[in-house]
Amino acid sequence: MPRTLVLSGGGACADPWHPFAKTSARLAHVLWSLGHQVEVTDFVADRVADLSGFDLIVVNAAGGPGGPPAALKGSRDGLRAALDRGMSVLAVHTGVCTLLRLPEWEAVTGAAWVEGRSGHPKLGPAHVQTHPDRHPVVAGLADFGLVDERYVGLRLAPGLVPLASHRHSGRQYPLVWAREVGRSRVVADALGHDVSSYESAAHRQLLAQAVTWLTEGR
């Protein structure tokens, strides 16, 4: 039985825009349906400092206030140790861009928010284009619609291959991608602003396939 930790926004890692407790509960339901042993916590910094025993972490939290390098040392060391042993990562929505404002998180997910360039259209109905021939995460998934917030203008790693994307103002922007970082597998899913996103059966199926890929044979 895979062991999964959902890092949910709370305390310093909450914000006024995202209902993290509700969306983390939806994520936990997807994980339970796949037979995972799931723990949900909003003590993000404390838990990142020691991720031993977990096969997968799901990051669904704001970055928090940050702090001096010495204050973040435990979290940085804990994350590095977990990635070195091959722990998998599913980063969701704002979690794609930040984990405790750790500078190395961009190298994990392949994306970062850039002030003055990154943004999103207004929350509302959205059309998601899938690319099912590119990866098991989206195999068999047709294009779908949902109500969500879609990021644009992120700084993205060179060579990143979108598995799902959306159009805004005549341009195509990635929403979902998969990476391998050393021994670890990583999926970034920029969807998931609020519970409306998880009302989509197609989005839940995408998440289930992502989790399966992240943990199979691990």
Side-chain angles (χ1 to χ4, degrees):
M1 179 183 295
R3 290 193 64 212
T4 297
L5 178 66
V6 180
L7 297 167
S8 182
C13 292
D15 66 27
W17 306 286
H18 299 97
F20 290 118
K22 293 179 179 180
T23 53
S24 292
R26 296 298 186 97
L27 287 162
H29 189 271
V30 172
L31 292 156
W32 285 323
S33 74
L34 297 171
H36 285 230
Q37 181 180 343
V38 183
E39 177 184 338
V40 181
T41 182
D42 58 8
F43 293 98
V44 178
D46 291 344
R47 298 313 304 272
V48 173
D50 182 6
L51 295 168
S52 56
F54 290 103
D55 304 294
L56 170 67
I57 60 167
V58 179
V59 181
N60 183 43
L72 297 173
K73 184 178 186 305
S75 297
R76 299 177 78 171
D77 290 347
L79 178 63
R80 185 180 304 111
L83 294 172
D84 285 348
R85 66 173 171 80
M87 182 195 69
S88 293
V89 174
L90 172 60
V92 179
H93 198 53
T94 190
V96 170
C97 303
T98 185
L99 172 62
L100 299 170
R101 300 188 185 273
L102 298 178
E104 51 266 74
W105 190 240
E106 181 178 354
V108 176
T109 65
W113 185 275
V114 180
E115 292 296 333
R117 188 183 86 181
S118 304
H120 53 77
K122 186 177 179 180
L123 174 71
H127 177 78
V128 177
Q129 180 183 1
T130 61
H131 308 284
D133 58 331
R134 294 182 179 176
H135 200 277
V137 167
V138 286
L141 283 177
D143 295 356
F144 61 93
L146 80 175
V147 175
D148 214 327
E149 185 180 81
R150 298 159 291 138
Y151 290 155
V152 299
L154 301 179
R155 182 170 62 228
L156 300 171
L160 185 148
V161 178
L163 307 183
S165 55
H166 74 101
R167 292 190 69 82
H168 177 65
S169 297
R171 292 187 59 186
Q172 196 89 353
Y173 295 94
L175 288 168
V176 179
W177 57 92
R179 293 160 54 80
E180 298 197 29
V181 180
R183 298 174 61 192
S184 296
R185 288 182 172 182
V186 178
V187 171
D189 176 7
L191 297 168
H193 173 80
D194 65 15
V195 293
S196 300
S197 180
Y198 299 92
E199 296 299 322
S200 165
H203 187 204
R204 295 196 305 272
Q205 181 62 33
L206 187 155
L207 285 163
Q209 292 182 195
V211 170
T212 298
W213 179 74
L214 286 165
T215 55
E216 63 183 359
R218 310 301 286 171

